[in-house]
Amino acid sequence: MSVTPTAGARLRSVGGGANRWVVLLVLCVSLLLVALDATVLHVAVPAVTEDLRPSGVELLWIVDAYPLVCAALLILFGTLGDRVGRRRVLLLGYGIFGAASAVAAFAPDPEILIGARALLGVGGAMIMPATLSILRAVFPDRRERATAIGIWTAVAAVGAATGPVLGGFLVENFWWGSVFLINIPLMALILPVGRWLLPESRGGADGPWDVLGALMAAAGVLGVVLGVKRLGVGSGPLDPAAMGPLLIGAALLALFVGRQKRRRHPLVDMRMFARAAFSTSVGCIVLAMLALVGLELIAVQYLQLILGLGPLETGLRLLPLTFAAMAAGATGSHTLNRLGPRRMVGWGFVLTAVAVLLLTVMGQHDRPWLLTGAFVLLGFGLQTTLFGAYESMLSEAPADQAGGAAAIGETSYQLGAGMGIALLGSVMNAAYSPAVASLSGVPASASSAAAHSLGEAYQVAERLGGPAGELLRSTARHSFVHGLHITLVVSAGLLLLGAVAALRLPRIMECGAAEKHPRPRQDEPVSVPATRGADVSGARTVGTAVPRAGAGVPAGRRPQVSGRPAPAEAAGSGRTAH
């Protein structure tokens, strides 16, 4: 991997490369905006509906266009950054994200808003893997990289959880388009700052970029995520609208994997998945998100429809989860050094499962202290799990494929989120619907409509009025809480399954070559021989590829250096960071 100087090189420390922390700050601001945009629109949906009058299908695409397009293009842009330069792709993503935000803010009709949201997804897909791969480049030392990843993941948690709070405030005080306008001044600032400060880096440039393979991966991920999302909104397992995209997407991904195995210069080296640390980390990310995102959606419904909280108050109730996640990210490097990847990820899953089971005590009445305590445990446990899994994944991946590895981590994150909504939403619906759908004393048509969701049950009960309406409302509330408890138990089971899967991770984190060899002088190329060792479990350690001379070294006034990567770095656990 090669790193080239930028105009901001004069700001970099000559010896220690202290400015890599400034680079981390720029990357974190980038991630914050992308994470905010994933959730900030949720509380603005009623205002968008009232203003633009979209159809049901259009409203679904307004919400889903961003995550669908972003998930589909992560591998394409992640691997493209490895070839043409990660900084170049990141800066282009900034420009697209800012322009799309301006279009979305003033969209006059649903079609333009859907197009703008899709363009936001393109920008987000360029930004997310690039931030991780640049982070991998500028922090070659694993212990420092773990600290940087802790900060990075904490910022991601802050962005996702702050989105509803910020969105609720803006919608209540301005208009729905203001949730997009906040991106424009920040992007206008970060684009020149990033161009000035961020170092350019790229992976191995051998062979042509596989355009067909990249398009196959994009179409395959789009099909799978679209199918999973449709299952999550009530489509049956035999519904062509869900199973068609799902099967086509799975077939394309299978063809993509076969193509990558045959190519001499693949986009993604599938041999990474043969490494237990890499494949297990990816699986843990999917399981963690599968358990969390569906729960988050149901929790928001509980706070608003059962406890009667408004959008802003709902967002504030979720803040303890955010602060706990920030604490877990800030202390993640220390925890990883003390516990090792296996125990860190495993106990993170267990702690999250305990928090989820604690939430089963919640009923139809508000218990703020219990809810706050459970959210604190949930945020800390989940962030601990994601930190350990991402760090393991990124450290296991070769340095010259950091963009592809980061894209795989982000894709697994998005896929897990979509699967969580589909699976836990189906469990919730199966537990909620029966008691409402066959309610004596209520017209059959009204009961059938009320069985779709608690919000719809409230609307039907209001139209009915009288004893029948009150009976329907009361029954729906009880059924929702019952379904919530069952869903929480299923989620806890998934989390405990993740704790078992984490047993395949290495026991300890070894930093190996990155610490055994001193940092090279600025103009001195270095080659670090491959080393292999054994962790305490006796498993052979497979490390990450060492960066080429200058790669990831705190960028300074350094001439462009290129060459072939050294065979391997003794990375111990081989975990990849996200």
Side-chain angles (χ1 to χ4, degrees):
M1 182 176 61
S2 60
V3 176
T4 60
T6 70
R10 62 183 178 276
L11 294 180
R12 310 183 198 284
S13 168
V14 174
N19 201 56
R20 62 192 179 279
W21 299 105
V22 179
V23 171
L24 177 63
L25 176 62
V26 175
L27 297 179
C28 285
V29 173
S30 311
L31 175 67
L32 181 65
L33 290 174
V34 176
L36 269 173
D37 228 67
T39 58
V40 74
L41 184 64
H42 291 176
V43 295
V45 166
V48 172
T49 303
E50 183 179 352
D51 186 21
L52 300 184
R53 302 292 181 183
S55 66
V57 174
E58 287 174 334
L59 183 61
L60 187 65
W61 278 105
I62 287 172
V63 175
D64 285 345
Y66 175 79
L68 280 174
V69 173
C70 185
L73 297 179
L74 284 167
I75 292 176
L76 189 153
F77 287 123
T79 56
L80 180 64
D82 286 341
R83 293 303 181 96
V84 305
R86 294 149 185 164
R87 171 177 168 270
R88 181 178 300 174
V89 171
L90 179 63
L91 294 178
L92 182 58
Y94 288 163
I96 292 175
F97 204 83
S101 298
V103 175
F106 299 102
D109 55 57
E111 291 80 8
I112 291 180
L113 182 55
I114 291 170
R117 289 279 288 169
L119 197 58
L120 278 168
V122 174
M126 300 176 88
I127 293 170
M128 299 257 329
T131 60
L132 261 185
S133 50
I134 291 174
L135 184 151
R136 174 71 173 83
V138 299
F139 289 94
D141 178 84
R142 186 170 184 182
R143 294 187 187 278
E144 281 194 348
R145 186 165 67 241
T147 301
I149 290 165
I151 297 170
W152 193 91
T153 53
V155 167
V158 169
T162 306
V165 180
L166 182 59
F169 172 79
L170 291 173
V171 171
E172 288 183 6
N173 291 277
F174 301 99
W175 93 107
W176 63 264
S178 61
V179 303
F180 298 110
L181 276 185
I182 57 174
N183 296 331
I184 298 174
L186 290 173
M187 282 299 172
L189 173 65
I190 201 172
L191 183 58
V193 170
R195 189 170 184 271
W196 188 35
L197 286 178
L198 294 178
E200 182 60 284
S201 69
R202 55 177 56 89
D206 297 334
W209 186 55
D210 183 10
V211 179
L212 178 59
L215 294 176
M216 288 172 63
V221 172
L222 178 62
V224 170
V225 175
L226 180 59
V228 166
K229 280 184 172 290
R230 286 185 172 173
L231 288 173
V233 296
S235 296
L238 300 180
D239 188 344
M243 294 309 297
L246 193 59
L247 292 176
I248 293 172
L252 286 172
L253 288 178
L255 291 173
F256 170 75
V257 170
R259 179 180 176 85
Q260 298 310 298
K261 287 181 177 179
R262 293 191 303 270
R263 288 184 65 85
R264 183 178 179 185
H265 303 292
L267 284 176
V268 177
D269 188 353
M270 291 299 160
R271 290 175 297 180
M272 288 191 295
F273 287 94
R275 303 171 183 174
F278 186 89
S279 57
T280 300
S281 298
V282 170
C284 287
I285 292 169
V286 171
L287 274 173
M289 294 311 301
L290 193 154
L292 176 78
V293 173
L295 276 182
E296 216 170 47
L297 184 63
I298 295 169
V300 168
Q301 292 178 335
Y302 172 81
L303 292 172
Q304 292 187 343
L305 299 177
I306 299 295
L307 301 185
L309 305 182
L312 181 57
E313 207 174 354
T314 297
L316 292 174
R317 283 293 189 96
L318 293 172
L319 282 181
L321 188 151
T322 305
F323 293 140
M326 291 172 60
T331 59
S333 177
H334 177 73
T335 305
L336 185 62
N337 287 331
R338 287 185 61 85
L339 297 182
R342 180 183 301 180
R343 284 188 291 174
M344 181 177 186
V345 174
W347 282 112
F349 270 123
V350 171
L351 184 61
T352 309
V354 170
V356 167
L357 291 175
L358 186 61
L359 287 171
T360 60
V361 180
M362 296 298 297
Q364 296 193 42
H365 303 289
D366 193 3
R367 298 182 179 180
W369 291 110
L370 175 65
L371 199 62
T372 299
F375 279 168
V376 167
L377 291 178
L378 185 66
F380 193 89
L382 183 79
Q383 190 65 20
T384 297
T385 296
L386 289 175
F387 177 96
Y390 270 117
E391 199 284 330
S392 298
M393 183 196 69
L394 200 57
S395 294
E396 179 67 16
D400 62 352
Q401 293 192 22
I408 289 171
E410 291 295 340
T411 303
S412 63
Y413 185 100
Q414 297 284 352
L415 186 59
M419 290 172 61
I421 293 173
L423 177 61
L424 296 187
S426 298
V427 171
M428 179 71 190
N429 187 61
Y432 163 79
S433 297
V436 180
S438 58
L439 190 59
S440 61
V442 176
S445 59
S447 293
S448 177
H452 294 157
S453 69
L454 182 58
E456 196 163 347
Y458 282 176
Q459 293 175 1
V460 173
E462 187 175 353
R463 288 198 301 267
L464 284 176
E470 184 57 36
L471 175 63
L472 179 59
R473 183 182 180 88
S474 175
T475 303
R477 285 172 61 89
H478 281 90
S479 295
F480 183 90
V481 173
H482 170 69
L484 174 63
H485 291 167
I486 292 178
T487 306
L488 289 170
V489 171
V490 171
S491 180
L494 292 171
L495 291 164
L496 292 176
L497 179 63
V500 173
L503 294 176
R504 297 185 70 230
L505 294 172
R507 293 178 182 270
I508 59 174
M509 182 184 78
E510 298 176 11
C511 295
E515 291 182 335
K516 292 175 183 176
H517 296 269
R519 192 183 300 276
R521 295 194 306 269
Q522 286 196 298
D523 298 321
E524 178 185 4
V526 63
S527 176
V528 182
T531 60
R532 293 189 182 274
D535 66 12
V536 296
S537 66
R540 188 172 65 175
T541 299
V542 182
T544 62
V546 148
R548 296 186 180 110
V553 175
R557 294 182 293 274
R558 179 185 302 283
Q560 181 168 351
V561 183
S562 62
R564 301 189 63 82
E569 165 193 13
S573 71
R575 240 87 40 227
T576 309
H578 172 153

